[in-house]
mmCIF file with all atom_site columns, all heavy atoms in Angstrom:
data_model
loop_
_atom_site.group_PDB
_atom_site.id
_atom_site.type_symbol
_atom_site.label_atom_id
_atom_site.label_alt_id
_atom_site.label_comp_id
_atom_site.label_asym_id
_atom_site.label_entity_id
_atom_site.label_seq_id
_atom_site.pdbx_PDB_ins_code
_atom_site.Cartn_x
_atom_site.Cartn_y
_atom_site.Cartn_z
_atom_site.occupancy
_atom_site.B_iso_or_equiv
_atom_site.pdbx_formal_charge
_atom_site.auth_seq_id
_atom_site.auth_comp_id
_atom_site.auth_asym_id
_atom_site.auth_atom_id
_atom_site.pdbx_PDB_model_num
ATOM 1   N N   . LEU A 1 69 ? -7.421  -15.052 -11.357 1.00 96.00 ? 69 LEU A N   1
ATOM 2   C CA  . LEU A 1 69 ? -7.525  -13.776 -10.674 1.00 96.00 ? 69 LEU A CA  1
ATOM 3   C C   . LEU A 1 69 ? -7.612  -14.097 -9.185  1.00 96.00 ? 69 LEU A C   1
ATOM 4   O O   . LEU A 1 69 ? -8.480  -14.861 -8.764  1.00 96.00 ? 69 LEU A O   1
ATOM 5   C CB  . LEU A 1 69 ? -8.761  -13.005 -11.128 1.00 96.00 ? 69 LEU A CB  1
ATOM 6   C CG  . LEU A 1 69 ? -9.014  -11.678 -10.441 1.00 96.00 ? 69 LEU A CG  1
ATOM 7   C CD1 . LEU A 1 69 ? -7.887  -10.690 -10.725 1.00 96.00 ? 69 LEU A CD1 1
ATOM 8   C CD2 . LEU A 1 69 ? -10.344 -11.089 -10.896 1.00 96.00 ? 69 LEU A CD2 1
ATOM 9   N N   . VAL A 1 70 ? -6.696  -13.554 -8.389  1.00 95.00 ? 70 VAL A N   1
ATOM 10  C CA  . VAL A 1 70 ? -6.601  -13.873 -6.973  1.00 95.00 ? 70 VAL A CA  1
ATOM 11  C C   . VAL A 1 70 ? -6.799  -12.592 -6.165  1.00 95.00 ? 70 VAL A C   1
ATOM 12  O O   . VAL A 1 70 ? -6.170  -11.570 -6.456  1.00 95.00 ? 70 VAL A O   1
ATOM 13  C CB  . VAL A 1 70 ? -5.221  -14.482 -6.636  1.00 95.00 ? 70 VAL A CB  1
ATOM 14  C CG1 . VAL A 1 70 ? -5.137  -14.861 -5.168  1.00 95.00 ? 70 VAL A CG1 1
ATOM 15  C CG2 . VAL A 1 70 ? -4.922  -15.675 -7.523  1.00 95.00 ? 70 VAL A CG2 1
ATOM 16  N N   . GLN A 1 71 ? -7.688  -12.669 -5.163  1.00 89.00 ? 71 GLN A N   1
ATOM 17  C CA  . GLN A 1 71 ? -7.881  -11.499 -4.305  1.00 89.00 ? 71 GLN A CA  1
ATOM 18  C C   . GLN A 1 71 ? -8.244  -11.920 -2.894  1.00 89.00 ? 71 GLN A C   1
ATOM 19  O O   . GLN A 1 71 ? -8.933  -12.907 -2.687  1.00 89.00 ? 71 GLN A O   1
ATOM 20  C CB  . GLN A 1 71 ? -8.950  -10.572 -4.869  1.00 89.00 ? 71 GLN A CB  1
ATOM 21  C CG  . GLN A 1 71 ? -10.334 -11.152 -4.934  1.00 89.00 ? 71 GLN A CG  1
ATOM 22  C CD  . GLN A 1 71 ? -11.313 -10.181 -5.550  1.00 89.00 ? 71 GLN A CD  1
ATOM 23  O OE1 . GLN A 1 71 ? -10.934 -9.192  -6.148  1.00 89.00 ? 71 GLN A OE1 1
ATOM 24  N NE2 . GLN A 1 71 ? -12.584 -10.459 -5.406  1.00 89.00 ? 71 GLN A NE2 1
ATOM 25  N N   . LYS A 1 72 ? -7.747  -11.145 -1.952  1.00 79.00 ? 72 LYS A N   1
ATOM 26  C CA  . LYS A 1 72 ? -8.132  -11.326 -0.561  1.00 79.00 ? 72 LYS A CA  1
ATOM 27  C C   . LYS A 1 72 ? -9.305  -10.400 -0.310  1.00 79.00 ? 72 LYS A C   1
ATOM 28  O O   . LYS A 1 72 ? -9.359  -9.305  -0.841  1.00 79.00 ? 72 LYS A O   1
ATOM 29  C CB  . LYS A 1 72 ? -6.983  -10.979 0.368   1.00 79.00 ? 72 LYS A CB  1
ATOM 30  C CG  . LYS A 1 72 ? -5.846  -11.955 0.297   1.00 79.00 ? 72 LYS A CG  1
ATOM 31  C CD  . LYS A 1 72 ? -4.800  -11.654 1.326   1.00 79.00 ? 72 LYS A CD  1
ATOM 32  C CE  . LYS A 1 72 ? -3.699  -12.701 1.253   1.00 79.00 ? 72 LYS A CE  1
ATOM 33  N NZ  . LYS A 1 72 ? -2.684  -12.489 2.271   1.00 79.00 ? 72 LYS A NZ  1
ATOM 34  N N   . THR A 1 73 ? -10.238 -10.875 0.483   1.00 71.00 ? 73 THR A N   1
ATOM 35  C CA  . THR A 1 73 ? -11.402 -10.043 0.760   1.00 71.00 ? 73 THR A CA  1
ATOM 36  C C   . THR A 1 73 ? -11.676 -9.981  2.252   1.00 71.00 ? 73 THR A C   1
ATOM 37  O O   . THR A 1 73 ? -11.763 -11.018 2.905   1.00 71.00 ? 73 THR A O   1
ATOM 38  C CB  . THR A 1 73 ? -12.648 -10.532 -0.003  1.00 71.00 ? 73 THR A CB  1
ATOM 39  O OG1 . THR A 1 73 ? -13.750 -9.730  0.377   1.00 71.00 ? 73 THR A OG1 1
ATOM 40  C CG2 . THR A 1 73 ? -12.955 -11.983 0.230   1.00 71.00 ? 73 THR A CG2 1
ATOM 41  N N   . PRO A 1 74 ? -11.778 -8.792  2.815   1.00 65.00 ? 74 PRO A N   1
ATOM 42  C CA  . PRO A 1 74 ? -12.104 -8.666  4.234   1.00 65.00 ? 74 PRO A CA  1
ATOM 43  C C   . PRO A 1 74 ? -13.609 -8.643  4.482   1.00 65.00 ? 74 PRO A C   1
ATOM 44  O O   . PRO A 1 74 ? -14.046 -8.556  5.607   1.00 65.00 ? 74 PRO A O   1
ATOM 45  C CB  . PRO A 1 74 ? -11.494 -7.310  4.598   1.00 65.00 ? 74 PRO A CB  1
ATOM 46  C CG  . PRO A 1 74 ? -11.649 -6.513  3.347   1.00 65.00 ? 74 PRO A CG  1
ATOM 47  C CD  . PRO A 1 74 ? -11.451 -7.516  2.221   1.00 65.00 ? 74 PRO A CD  1
ATOM 48  N N   . TYR A 1 75 ? -14.392 -8.733  3.428   1.00 63.00 ? 75 TYR A N   1
ATOM 49  C CA  . TYR A 1 75 ? -15.826 -8.488  3.548   1.00 63.00 ? 75 TYR A CA  1
ATOM 50  C C   . TYR A 1 75 ? -16.618 -9.634  4.142   1.00 63.00 ? 75 TYR A C   1
ATOM 51  O O   . TYR A 1 75 ? -17.693 -9.415  4.660   1.00 63.00 ? 75 TYR A O   1
ATOM 52  C CB  . TYR A 1 75 ? -16.393 -8.078  2.189   1.00 63.00 ? 75 TYR A CB  1
ATOM 53  C CG  . TYR A 1 75 ? -15.671 -6.888  1.644   1.00 63.00 ? 75 TYR A CG  1
ATOM 54  C CD1 . TYR A 1 75 ? -14.829 -6.999  0.546   1.00 63.00 ? 75 TYR A CD1 1
ATOM 55  C CD2 . TYR A 1 75 ? -15.783 -5.644  2.261   1.00 63.00 ? 75 TYR A CD2 1
ATOM 56  C CE1 . TYR A 1 75 ? -14.136 -5.908  0.069   1.00 63.00 ? 75 TYR A CE1 1
ATOM 57  C CE2 . TYR A 1 75 ? -15.088 -4.545  1.789   1.00 63.00 ? 75 TYR A CE2 1
ATOM 58  C CZ  . TYR A 1 75 ? -14.267 -4.685  0.688   1.00 63.00 ? 75 TYR A CZ  1
ATOM 59  O OH  . TYR A 1 75 ? -13.574 -3.606  0.227   1.00 63.00 ? 75 TYR A OH  1
ATOM 60  N N   . ASP A 1 76 ? -16.094 -10.867 4.077   1.00 58.00 ? 76 ASP A N   1
ATOM 61  C CA  . ASP A 1 76 ? -16.828 -12.001 4.643   1.00 58.00 ? 76 ASP A CA  1
ATOM 62  C C   . ASP A 1 76 ? -17.152 -11.765 6.112   1.00 58.00 ? 76 ASP A C   1
ATOM 63  O O   . ASP A 1 76 ? -18.290 -11.945 6.546   1.00 58.00 ? 76 ASP A O   1
ATOM 64  C CB  . ASP A 1 76 ? -16.037 -13.298 4.488   1.00 58.00 ? 76 ASP A CB  1
ATOM 65  C CG  . ASP A 1 76 ? -15.999 -13.794 3.061   1.00 58.00 ? 76 ASP A CG  1
ATOM 66  O OD1 . ASP A 1 76 ? -16.777 -13.262 2.234   1.00 58.00 ? 76 ASP A OD1 1
ATOM 67  O OD2 . ASP A 1 76 ? -15.205 -14.690 2.764   1.00 58.00 ? 76 ASP A OD2 1
ATOM 68  N N   . GLU A 1 77 ? -16.139 -11.357 6.892   1.00 60.00 ? 77 GLU A N   1
ATOM 69  C CA  . GLU A 1 77 ? -16.393 -11.161 8.320   1.00 60.00 ? 77 GLU A CA  1
ATOM 70  C C   . GLU A 1 77 ? -17.296 -9.960  8.565   1.00 60.00 ? 77 GLU A C   1
ATOM 71  O O   . GLU A 1 77 ? -17.984 -9.886  9.570   1.00 60.00 ? 77 GLU A O   1
ATOM 72  C CB  . GLU A 1 77 ? -15.088 -11.015 9.095   1.00 60.00 ? 77 GLU A CB  1
ATOM 73  C CG  . GLU A 1 77 ? -14.332 -9.751  8.825   1.00 60.00 ? 77 GLU A CG  1
ATOM 74  C CD  . GLU A 1 77 ? -13.067 -9.655  9.643   1.00 60.00 ? 77 GLU A CD  1
ATOM 75  O OE1 . GLU A 1 77 ? -12.029 -10.136 9.159   1.00 60.00 ? 77 GLU A OE1 1
ATOM 76  O OE2 . GLU A 1 77 ? -13.128 -9.118  10.753  1.00 60.00 ? 77 GLU A OE2 1
ATOM 77  N N   . MET A 1 78 ? -17.342 -9.022  7.625   1.00 63.00 ? 78 MET A N   1
ATOM 78  C CA  . MET A 1 78 ? -18.199 -7.850  7.794   1.00 63.00 ? 78 MET A CA  1
ATOM 79  C C   . MET A 1 78 ? -19.674 -8.208  7.679   1.00 63.00 ? 78 MET A C   1
ATOM 80  O O   . MET A 1 78 ? -20.527 -7.496  8.199   1.00 63.00 ? 78 MET A O   1
ATOM 81  C CB  . MET A 1 78 ? -17.836 -6.780  6.756   1.00 63.00 ? 78 MET A CB  1
ATOM 82  C CG  . MET A 1 78 ? -16.463 -6.169  6.970   1.00 63.00 ? 78 MET A CG  1
ATOM 83  S SD  . MET A 1 78 ? -15.973 -5.071  5.647   1.00 63.00 ? 78 MET A SD  1
ATOM 84  C CE  . MET A 1 78 ? -17.120 -3.737  5.844   1.00 63.00 ? 78 MET A CE  1
ATOM 85  N N   . ILE A 1 79 ? -19.970 -9.318  6.994   1.00 65.00 ? 79 ILE A N   1
ATOM 86  C CA  . ILE A 1 79 ? -21.371 -9.700  6.826   1.00 65.00 ? 79 ILE A CA  1
ATOM 87  C C   . ILE A 1 79 ? -21.718 -10.949 7.641   1.00 65.00 ? 79 ILE A C   1
ATOM 88  O O   . ILE A 1 79 ? -22.669 -11.651 7.350   1.00 65.00 ? 79 ILE A O   1
ATOM 89  C CB  . ILE A 1 79 ? -21.730 -9.897  5.343   1.00 65.00 ? 79 ILE A CB  1
ATOM 90  C CG1 . ILE A 1 79 ? -20.863 -10.980 4.698   1.00 65.00 ? 79 ILE A CG1 1
ATOM 91  C CG2 . ILE A 1 79 ? -21.626 -8.588  4.593   1.00 65.00 ? 79 ILE A CG2 1
ATOM 92  C CD1 . ILE A 1 79 ? -21.304 -11.365 3.298   1.00 65.00 ? 79 ILE A CD1 1
ATOM 93  N N   . GLY A 1 80 ? -20.899 -11.228 8.666   1.00 68.00 ? 80 GLY A N   1
ATOM 94  C CA  . GLY A 1 80 ? -21.213 -12.303 9.592   1.00 68.00 ? 80 GLY A CA  1
ATOM 95  C C   . GLY A 1 80 ? -20.702 -13.672 9.213   1.00 68.00 ? 80 GLY A C   1
ATOM 96  O O   . GLY A 1 80 ? -21.033 -14.654 9.864   1.00 68.00 ? 80 GLY A O   1
ATOM 97  N N   . MET A 1 81 ? -19.906 -13.770 8.170   1.00 66.00 ? 81 MET A N   1
ATOM 98  C CA  . MET A 1 81 ? -19.344 -15.062 7.796   1.00 66.00 ? 81 MET A CA  1
ATOM 99  C C   . MET A 1 81 ? -18.011 -15.256 8.508   1.00 66.00 ? 81 MET A C   1
ATOM 100 O O   . MET A 1 81 ? -17.402 -14.298 8.967   1.00 66.00 ? 81 MET A O   1
ATOM 101 C CB  . MET A 1 81 ? -19.171 -15.131 6.275   1.00 66.00 ? 81 MET A CB  1
ATOM 102 C CG  . MET A 1 81 ? -20.497 -15.045 5.527   1.00 66.00 ? 81 MET A CG  1
ATOM 103 S SD  . MET A 1 81 ? -20.295 -15.105 3.748   1.00 66.00 ? 81 MET A SD  1
ATOM 104 C CE  . MET A 1 81 ? -19.813 -16.798 3.524   1.00 66.00 ? 81 MET A CE  1
ATOM 105 N N   . PRO A 1 82 ? -17.545 -16.501 8.592   1.00 66.00 ? 82 PRO A N   1
ATOM 106 C CA  . PRO A 1 82 ? -16.259 -16.757 9.256   1.00 66.00 ? 82 PRO A CA  1
ATOM 107 C C   . PRO A 1 82 ? -15.114 -16.044 8.530   1.00 66.00 ? 82 PRO A C   1
ATOM 108 O O   . PRO A 1 82 ? -15.124 -15.910 7.314   1.00 66.00 ? 82 PRO A O   1
ATOM 109 C CB  . PRO A 1 82 ? -16.085 -18.270 9.160   1.00 66.00 ? 82 PRO A CB  1
ATOM 110 C CG  . PRO A 1 82 ? -17.364 -18.820 8.686   1.00 66.00 ? 82 PRO A CG  1
ATOM 111 C CD  . PRO A 1 82 ? -18.173 -17.712 8.116   1.00 66.00 ? 82 PRO A CD  1
ATOM 112 N N   . THR A 1 83 ? -14.135 -15.618 9.315   1.00 65.00 ? 83 THR A N   1
ATOM 113 C CA  . THR A 1 83 ? -12.944 -14.991 8.748   1.00 65.00 ? 83 THR A CA  1
ATOM 114 C C   . THR A 1 83 ? -12.107 -16.048 8.049   1.00 65.00 ? 83 THR A C   1
ATOM 115 O O   . THR A 1 83 ? -11.911 -17.139 8.573   1.00 65.00 ? 83 THR A O   1
ATOM 116 C CB  . THR A 1 83 ? -12.114 -14.328 9.861   1.00 65.00 ? 83 THR A CB  1
ATOM 117 O OG1 . THR A 1 83 ? -12.939 -13.410 10.544  1.00 65.00 ? 83 THR A OG1 1
ATOM 118 C CG2 . THR A 1 83 ? -10.910 -13.611 9.301   1.00 65.00 ? 83 THR A CG2 1
ATOM 119 N N   . THR A 1 84 ? -11.599 -15.742 6.886   1.00 64.00 ? 84 THR A N   1
ATOM 120 C CA  . THR A 1 84 ? -10.751 -16.668 6.148   1.00 64.00 ? 84 THR A CA  1
ATOM 121 C C   . THR A 1 84 ? -9.456  -15.967 5.765   1.00 64.00 ? 84 THR A C   1
ATOM 122 O O   . THR A 1 84 ? -9.459  -14.786 5.461   1.00 64.00 ? 84 THR A O   1
ATOM 123 C CB  . THR A 1 84 ? -11.460 -17.215 4.896   1.00 64.00 ? 84 THR A CB  1
ATOM 124 O OG1 . THR A 1 84 ? -10.526 -17.994 4.150   1.00 64.00 ? 84 THR A OG1 1
ATOM 125 C CG2 . THR A 1 84 ? -12.005 -16.123 4.015   1.00 64.00 ? 84 THR A CG2 1
ATOM 126 N N   . THR A 1 85 ? -8.359  -16.693 5.821   1.00 66.00 ? 85 THR A N   1
ATOM 127 C CA  . THR A 1 85 ? -7.078  -16.121 5.430   1.00 66.00 ? 85 THR A CA  1
ATOM 128 C C   . THR A 1 85 ? -6.713  -16.519 4.004   1.00 66.00 ? 85 THR A C   1
ATOM 129 O O   . THR A 1 85 ? -5.769  -16.016 3.449   1.00 66.00 ? 85 THR A O   1
ATOM 130 C CB  . THR A 1 85 ? -5.954  -16.573 6.386   1.00 66.00 ? 85 THR A CB  1
ATOM 131 O OG1 . THR A 1 85 ? -5.900  -18.001 6.393   1.00 66.00 ? 85 THR A OG1 1
ATOM 132 C CG2 . THR A 1 85 ? -6.200  -16.053 7.783   1.00 66.00 ? 85 THR A CG2 1
ATOM 133 N N   . GLU A 1 86 ? -7.475  -17.436 3.449   1.00 75.00 ? 86 GLU A N   1
ATOM 134 C CA  . GLU A 1 86 ? -7.209  -17.886 2.085   1.00 75.00 ? 86 GLU A CA  1
ATOM 135 C C   . GLU A 1 86 ? -7.791  -16.891 1.088   1.00 75.00 ? 86 GLU A C   1
ATOM 136 O O   . GLU A 1 86 ? -8.957  -16.512 1.188   1.00 75.00 ? 86 GLU A O   1
ATOM 137 C CB  . GLU A 1 86 ? -7.831  -19.264 1.844   1.00 75.00 ? 86 GLU A CB  1
ATOM 138 C CG  . GLU A 1 86 ? -7.175  -20.379 2.611   1.00 75.00 ? 86 GLU A CG  1
ATOM 139 C CD  . GLU A 1 86 ? -5.740  -20.593 2.203   1.00 75.00 ? 86 GLU A CD  1
ATOM 140 O OE1 . GLU A 1 86 ? -5.437  -20.601 1.002   1.00 75.00 ? 86 GLU A OE1 1
ATOM 141 O OE2 . GLU A 1 86 ? -4.894  -20.749 3.109   1.00 75.00 ? 86 GLU A OE2 1
ATOM 142 N N   . PRO A 1 87 ? -7.002  -16.485 0.112   1.00 80.00 ? 87 PRO A N   1
ATOM 143 C CA  . PRO A 1 87 ? -7.548  -15.585 -0.907  1.00 80.00 ? 87 PRO A CA  1
ATOM 144 C C   . PRO A 1 87 ? -8.503  -16.345 -1.838  1.00 80.00 ? 87 PRO A C   1
ATOM 145 O O   . PRO A 1 87 ? -8.416  -17.555 -1.986  1.00 80.00 ? 87 PRO A O   1
ATOM 146 C CB  . PRO A 1 87 ? -6.310  -15.129 -1.675  1.00 80.00 ? 87 PRO A CB  1
ATOM 147 C CG  . PRO A 1 87 ? -5.284  -16.167 -1.427  1.00 80.00 ? 87 PRO A CG  1
ATOM 148 C CD  . PRO A 1 87 ? -5.588  -16.778 -0.086  1.00 80.00 ? 87 PRO A CD  1
ATOM 149 N N   . GLU A 1 88 ? -9.417  -15.604 -2.425  1.00 85.00 ? 88 GLU A N   1
ATOM 150 C CA  . GLU A 1 88 ? -10.318 -16.189 -3.405  1.00 85.00 ? 88 GLU A CA  1
ATOM 151 C C   . GLU A 1 88 ? -9.597  -16.248 -4.740  1.00 85.00 ? 88 GLU A C   1
ATOM 152 O O   . GLU A 1 88 ? -8.891  -15.323 -5.115  1.00 85.00 ? 88 GLU A O   1
ATOM 153 C CB  . GLU A 1 88 ? -11.579 -15.354 -3.523  1.00 85.00 ? 88 GLU A CB  1
ATOM 154 C CG  . GLU A 1 88 ? -12.429 -15.372 -2.275  1.00 85.00 ? 88 GLU A CG  1
ATOM 155 C CD  . GLU A 1 88 ? -13.722 -14.613 -2.449  1.00 85.00 ? 88 GLU A CD  1
ATOM 156 O OE1 . GLU A 1 88 ? -14.244 -14.549 -3.582  1.00 85.00 ? 88 GLU A OE1 1
ATOM 157 O OE2 . GLU A 1 88 ? -14.199 -14.081 -1.445  1.00 85.00 ? 88 GLU A OE2 1
ATOM 158 N N   . SER A 1 89 ? -9.792  -17.331 -5.453  1.00 91.00 ? 89 SER A N   1
ATOM 159 C CA  . SER A 1 89 ? -9.123  -17.518 -6.735  1.00 91.00 ? 89 SER A CA  1
ATOM 160 C C   . SER A 1 89 ? -10.156 -17.908 -7.779  1.00 91.00 ? 89 SER A C   1
ATOM 161 O O   . SER A 1 89 ? -10.947 -18.827 -7.571  1.00 91.00 ? 89 SER A O   1
ATOM 162 C CB  . SER A 1 89 ? -8.072  -18.637 -6.600  1.00 91.00 ? 89 SER A CB  1
ATOM 163 O OG  . SER A 1 89 ? -7.384  -18.818 -7.804  1.00 91.00 ? 89 SER A OG  1
ATOM 164 N N   . LEU A 1 90 ? -10.166 -17.183 -8.875  1.00 91.00 ? 90 LEU A N   1
ATOM 165 C CA  . LEU A 1 90 ? -11.138 -17.399 -9.942  1.00 91.00 ? 90 LEU A CA  1
ATOM 166 C C   . LEU A 1 90 ? -10.398 -17.618 -11.260 1.00 91.00 ? 90 LEU A C   1
ATOM 167 O O   . LEU A 1 90 ? -9.614  -16.765 -11.681 1.00 91.00 ? 90 LEU A O   1
ATOM 168 C CB  . LEU A 1 90 ? -12.049 -16.174 -10.062 1.00 91.00 ? 90 LEU A CB  1
ATOM 169 C CG  . LEU A 1 90 ? -13.043 -16.155 -11.203 1.00 91.00 ? 90 LEU A CG  1
ATOM 170 C CD1 . LEU A 1 90 ? -14.107 -17.226 -11.003 1.00 91.00 ? 90 LEU A CD1 1
ATOM 171 C CD2 . LEU A 1 90 ? -13.682 -14.784 -11.302 1.00 91.00 ? 90 LEU A CD2 1
#
Side-chain angles (χ1 to χ4, degrees):
L69 177 63
V70 182
Q71 64 182 14
K72 291 186 178 183
T73 177
Y75 304 110
D76 288 348
E77 69 179 89
M78 292 173 67
I79 59 171
M81 297 179 71
T83 304
T84 174
T85 57
E86 291 296 316
E88 293 184 30
S89 182
L90 174 67

